[in-house]
């Protein structure tokens, strides 16, 4: 969405768009794909964020994959857009087949390291913080919980 809109209006439109997209996916059941990124700092803490739309849960950075876009590039783009940071040593953790909003969903999960503090855009992301990996906050989103479990099981984190 255009950044010339005042942030409160932008957030309200994001909430509306989220609801419409959710209903559209349930109706169409068209396959979709996205990325999630488990980002740690140099101390091993995990970066989680809260979106201005959707469920009020802690989540991983990420988003939808554009048509023809490489999943790793999408992961870098989403982190840059949502948090204003670059991730080094980005690696693929898993590709998960799941259902999201009633549609088949392919989730590309990545892990990376960042030595900077996130700068939430205040529009899509309203809060972002690092948490010790052994003490993650609640409520944690269902998909976030499962993707962190895969990350831990692969020995990446």
């Amino acid at each position: 969405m255009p950044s010339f809109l005042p942030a409160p209006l932008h957030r309200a439109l994001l909430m509306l768009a989220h609801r419409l997209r959710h209903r559209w996916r349930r109706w169409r059941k068209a396959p979709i794909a996205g990325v999630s990124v488990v980002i740690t700092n140099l101390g091993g803490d995990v970066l989680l964020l809260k979106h201005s739309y959707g469920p009020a849960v802690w989540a991983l950075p990420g988003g939808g994959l554009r048509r023809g876009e490489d999943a790793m590039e999408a992961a870098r783009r989403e982190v840059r857009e949502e948090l204003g940071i670059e991730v080094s040593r980005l690696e693929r953790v898993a590709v998960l087949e799941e259902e999201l909003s009633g549609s088949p969903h392919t989730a590309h999960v990545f892990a990376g390291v960042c030595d900077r503090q996130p700068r939430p855009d205040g529009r899509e992301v309203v809060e972002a913080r690092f948490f010790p990996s052994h003490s993650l906050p609640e409520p944690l989103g269902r998909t976030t919980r499962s993707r962190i479990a895969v990350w831990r099981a692969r020995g990446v984190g």
Side-chain angles (χ1 to χ4, degrees), residues 60-116:
L60 293 169
L65 199 58
R66 294 175 178 161
R67 186 180 306 254
E69 185 176 29
D70 175 73
M72 187 170 292
E73 286 307 310
R76 290 186 187 284
R77 173 184 54 77
E78 286 290 344
V79 170
R80 193 171 37 253
E81 288 174 3
E82 291 181 347
L83 303 166
I85 57 176
E86 298 292 330
V87 179
S88 63
R89 301 190 318 236
L90 191 64
E91 62 182 279
R92 184 180 307 273
V93 172
V95 178
L96 308 174
E97 297 299 330
E98 58 193 14
E99 186 176 289
L100 188 66
S101 298
S103 293
H105 182 255
T106 302
H108 300 267
V109 182
F110 293 90
V113 177
C114 178
D115 64 352
R116 304 221 185 272

Side-chain angles (χ1 to χ4, degrees), residues 10 49 107 115 121:
H10 194 154
L49 54 81
D115 64 352
D121 64 7

Side-chain angles (χ1 to χ4, degrees), residues 18-29:
H18 176 75
R19 287 186 195 122
L20 290 172
R21 185 173 53 229
H22 181 74
R23 288 197 174 128
W24 176 258
R25 288 175 181 162
R26 283 208 179 284
W27 179 68
R28 291 276 301 154
K29 301 205 183 304

Side-chain angles (χ1 to χ4, degrees), residues 111-134:
V113 177
C114 178
D115 64 352
R116 304 221 185 272
Q117 281 298 109
R119 296 183 316 273
D121 64 7
R123 292 168 181 273
E124 183 176 358
V125 175
V126 293
E127 187 175 1
R129 293 190 292 169
F130 284 99
F131 295 91
S133 62
H134 65 277

